[in-house]
Amino acid sequence: MTAELVRGQNHPLPDTRLEIRVSAGQPVVAGATLADERGTVPGVEWIAHPGSPSLPGVEVSQQAAADHRLAVDLEALPAAVHRVCVLLALPVGVGGPARFGTLAAPFVAVTALDGAEIASYTITGLDRESAVVAVELYRRQGAWKVRAMGQGYEGGLAAMLGDQGLERPADLAASILDAVARGLARSVSAPPPRVPETERVRHAAPTTGSDTMPGSDPARGPGPTRASDPAPTVPVTAPTTSTGGTGGPISYAHPRRATATPEPQQGPPVPVAGDASGWSMEERLYNQVWGMFEDLARSTAAYRSACDFAESRLDQELDRALSDPRGRIGGAGDAAREAARAKHDELTARAKEALDRDLAQLVAESEVVEPALPAAYAGWDNPVWQAYRVPMEAPMALRLGDLHLPERTDLRIPMLVRLPLERGLWVDSGRGHSEAAGLLDEAELRRLALDTAVAHAARLLAVHPTGEFAVHVVDPAGSGAAALAPLVEAGVLAGPPAAGAAGVSAVLARLTERVDLVQMALRAGAPDALPPGMDTAEQLLIVHDFPHGFDDRAVTQLRYLADEGPAVGVHLMLVADREDASAYGPVLDPLWRSLLRITPVAEDHLADPWVGHAWTYEPPRFPPGSAVLRQVLAQVADARRQWGR
């Protein structure tokens, strides 16, 4: 799978023979510099450019072009080379654009020799810059990685080469650009991109009366479409001026984000609830929440990687200053160290500014999206619960709590999981590694864990149509009576909580038999051939205080339900402290791994699927003094009585 990098992010390189592909939409100059472990380019012989396109291990294009393919063989590089920087610059004196801000964002992909993409990077945020360090291949502890750089230079190629430590960079830049100009004089202009007739008609057609729902795109499917998506590398419509002619200013507005007026919007886009793809508002909100989740993950990854890069650069420059004995004392050494620290502070400040801008936009979007969420996605403090009615169909997802990162703890992303549940839930009543859990005594922590399980069970009952979801409870010692009281008193359970070893065995036997019967019916190709009177609703089993009351047979049945149950509509919610079951040793390891672990207090144990941040999970909480739980359960019970369930 291709790693889509953001500025400052790095990714390991599994291959040493690579191809770096560049697509810029307009002719650009592509080159590469070879640097030592301090990031210094010793001389002009360490630069591959159109006038000298080949170096050991690197080969670049001999002229400016809209698309480039650079060949890199990391094993063929000189032993002293620790960094390979890929440079892009706009040619001068040939009538082309003078700054990257007038072009589509350049796209860079690092691929294996077979064309499989390893990592890609869209260089966004460029304006007055006419040269940019696109990506950097670097060696650390014997392994090569690629880092997305996106470092632009308003001073052009000369400023960029000077920052690489080269002497007389202006003369070198002039010679490179002269070679580029000679090459362009011999080249043939590329034809404009051909646009399929169906694409031209679709995007030119008026939006009123269109069969495509707002925010959806049949060509891309139901994945989330974000307002912050970079412009596509190849535009789907030819750029035109306001009078319809070719040339002039280009609009890079996303084709699926049409605005009511043709005037360009000033400032960040105004957030709108449901601003994502999908065939219903529920699906659009689901995709939008996941898009916010991804945006926050990637923005934070860019910030953290940029800070790491600034720290690494500071260390290199301080080492460089100390490596010269003449610079260890006196004013020159102090000046070098101060300059290094100033550059470090500048880089981190710029990264923080970019992060703050992204976070402010996400906060504004969250403030709009949160009140618009349906009951299945909403927090218990959302007013939508005051107008709750039992739904006629099940939702596509369910909220299990909130997620946040330390960079902005008040920015909470709803944790939405798809329904039906693909795996069981484990509400951990142990202390784990949470600081919040360490401040509570054992009894309070166990009470909070069962309260959390009750909140999840109540939401599952509330978002399913009448009779389509049943909840069973196993409480062997009866120690959870107080927390289970709202479910018991409302009469929404499939039966009284099972107590004692006999109760545990009876419930497990019924659900195990149900799984067996449904599996046999499915294997026989007759899913409707189930015994008369069998409850076909989704089933949830809440197990409190595991493994109390469980013998070896019951443990085996529980593992069977955890593994086989979700595929046939039987789900497990385990409320347990893993230490209590330590006597079973590794026998229960597959059980714990099969369940999604959530906690009754805040803990940073969940990771996102994009960059792997450790996210702090916040369990659902009812507002203090609120009666929303009993009100919702009362409506569920009333609907069951009306339907005779």
Side-chain angles (χ1 to χ4, degrees):
M1 181 179 294
T2 304
E4 298 178 1
L5 305 181
V6 295
R7 181 172 298 170
Q9 189 177 359
N10 57 48
H11 186 75
L13 294 172
D15 301 310
T16 57
R17 300 185 65 186
L18 308 166
E19 190 174 73
I20 300 176
R21 302 181 181 183
V22 178
S23 179
Q26 289 283 343
V28 298
V29 182
T33 59
L34 309 183
D36 57 22
E37 57 186 348
R38 297 190 300 272
T40 301
V41 181
V44 295
E45 66 276 11
W46 287 46
I47 306 175
H49 56 82
S52 178
S54 297
L55 291 179
V58 178
E59 184 173 357
V60 303
S61 305
Q62 298 187 39
Q63 64 183 34
D67 299 288
H68 290 270
R69 293 191 174 189
L70 286 66
V72 178
D73 187 350
L74 298 175
E75 291 183 344
L77 294 171
V81 174
H82 286 257
R83 297 176 185 271
V84 179
C85 292
V86 176
L87 318 177
L88 303 179
L90 294 174
V92 297
V94 295
R99 59 190 183 93
F100 276 106
T102 61
L103 304 179
F107 176 81
V108 181
V110 180
T111 73
L113 291 185
D114 60 359
E117 282 193 6
I118 300 170
S120 64
Y121 174 41
T122 302
I123 311 173
T124 58
L126 299 177
D127 187 7
R128 295 186 295 271
E129 298 88 346
S130 58
V132 61
V133 179
V135 296
E136 176 188 70
L137 312 181
Y138 66 98
R139 178 165 52 190
R140 177 166 297 171
Q141 298 178 349
W144 283 92
K145 296 183 178 182
V146 58
R147 176 184 285 123
M149 299 290 289
Q151 176 64 56
Y153 295 84
E154 294 183 25
L157 185 59
M160 182 167 57
L161 294 175
D163 197 40
Q164 298 271 329
L166 290 160
E167 297 180 356
R168 303 177 63 184
D171 294 342
L172 177 58
S175 66
I176 294 174
L177 293 174
D178 181 62
V180 171
R182 292 195 303 269
L184 284 175
R186 298 191 300 270
S187 64
V188 179
S189 299
R194 298 185 61 184
V195 182
E197 187 67 27
T198 55
E199 289 292 325
R200 290 197 293 268
V201 171
R202 180 163 63 87
H203 289 293
T207 57
T208 304
S210 173
D211 291 336
T212 302
M213 298 190 68
S216 65
D217 180 9
R220 290 186 60 177
T225 300
R226 308 290 302 136
S228 57
D229 281 350
T233 304
V234 181
V236 294
T237 52
T240 60
T241 63
S242 58
T243 59
T246 59
I250 301 173
S251 172
Y252 296 108
H254 198 288
R256 284 173 295 280
R257 296 302 176 94
T259 55
T261 58
E263 290 81 6
Q265 181 178 341
Q266 300 296 326
V270 178
V272 178
D275 189 17
S277 61
W279 296 106
S280 65
M281 177 58 75
E282 179 192 11
E283 185 179 0
R284 292 199 293 271
L285 286 169
Y286 172 83
N287 289 337
Q288 186 171 13
V289 168
W290 267 88
M292 294 166 60
F293 187 17
E294 181 177 2
D295 283 355
L296 181 54
R298 295 192 182 278
S299 295
T300 305
Y303 169 70
R304 294 179 181 178
S305 295
C307 291
D308 291 343
F309 171 70
E311 291 289 343
S312 175
R313 177 169 179 160
L314 175 62
D315 292 341
Q316 292 175 10
E317 293 184 351
L318 291 178
D319 291 343
R320 192 183 309 163
L322 293 174
S323 64
D324 186 357
R326 295 170 298 177
R328 296 176 185 172
I329 58 175
D334 293 340
R337 288 188 287 272
E338 288 299 324
R341 293 189 178 93
K343 185 63 175 178
H344 167 270
D345 294 343
E346 177 190 357
L347 291 174
T348 54
R350 287 165 55 186
K352 186 64 165 62
E353 180 182 357
L355 176 67
D356 290 343
R357 182 180 63 248
D358 293 344
L359 293 181
Q361 180 65 18
L362 284 170
V363 168
E365 187 171 8
S366 177
E367 292 174 348
V368 172
V369 169
E370 190 71 43
L373 296 177
Y377 303 172
W380 287 111
D381 57 348
N382 193 308
V384 70
W385 289 108
Q386 305 305 319
Y388 167 77
R389 294 294 182 271
V390 177
M392 298 301 294
E393 60 182 19
M396 65 181 297
L398 184 85
R399 184 173 188 160
L400 288 183
D402 296 330
L403 299 169
H404 66 81
L405 291 172
E407 280 76 8
R408 186 69 184 264
T409 57
D410 62 329
L411 177 55
R412 307 295 176 90
I413 304 296
M415 179 182 173
L416 303 182
V417 296
R418 292 297 295 264
L419 291 179
L421 297 173
E422 296 180 355
R423 57 193 298 203
L425 303 176
W426 167 28
V427 184
D428 190 355
S429 59
R431 297 192 182 279
H433 302 287
S434 170
E435 295 182 2
L439 299 176
L440 300 173
D441 60 39
E442 182 178 345
E444 178 67 9
L445 195 57
R446 291 179 183 273
R447 183 191 65 79
L448 288 175
L450 189 53
D451 285 345
T452 301
V454 169
H456 291 315
R459 184 184 291 266
L460 283 164
L461 286 166
V463 302
H464 280 85
T466 303
E468 292 191 11
F469 198 86
V471 177
H472 309 261
V473 175
V474 167
D475 185 21
S479 57
L484 295 169
L487 298 175
V488 175
E489 294 172 2
V492 293
L493 296 179
V504 171
S505 298
V507 172
L508 292 176
R510 287 198 304 271
L511 293 178
T512 301
E513 182 184 17
R514 184 186 189 280
V515 172
D516 291 338
L517 290 173
V518 175
Q519 284 184 338
M520 287 189 293
L522 292 175
R523 292 193 194 102
D528 296 331
L530 294 173
M534 181 177 174
D535 186 5
T536 58
E538 297 275 319
Q539 309 288 315
L540 173 68
L541 172 61
I542 301 177
V543 178
H544 178 233
D545 208 14
F546 176 80
H548 184 80
F550 280 72
D551 55 20
D552 291 345
R553 176 180 173 81
V555 169
T556 301
Q557 290 176 318
L558 191 70
R559 289 182 53 188
Y560 177 73
L561 292 178
D563 294 338
E564 304 294 335
V568 292
V570 177
H571 311 284
L572 178 64
M573 186 185 299
L574 195 63
V575 184
D577 179 359
R578 188 169 182 173
E579 290 297 321
D580 293 343
S582 58
Y584 287 92
V587 173
L588 290 181
D589 287 351
L591 172 65
W592 305 116
R593 288 194 297 266
S594 69
L595 304 175
L596 173 61
R597 177 177 176 263
I598 53 180
T599 53
V601 294
E603 184 175 326
D604 57 346
H605 66 285
L606 295 176
D608 64 79
W610 303 285
V611 294
H613 291 316
W615 292 73
T616 297
Y617 168 78
E618 293 276 358
R621 290 283 183 263
F622 297 102
S626 172
V628 63
L629 174 61
R630 295 185 181 274
Q631 292 172 0
V632 169
L633 292 178
Q635 291 204 38
V636 172
D638 289 343
R640 289 191 173 190
R641 285 190 290 270
Q642 292 175 11
W643 287 85
R645 298 298 179 94

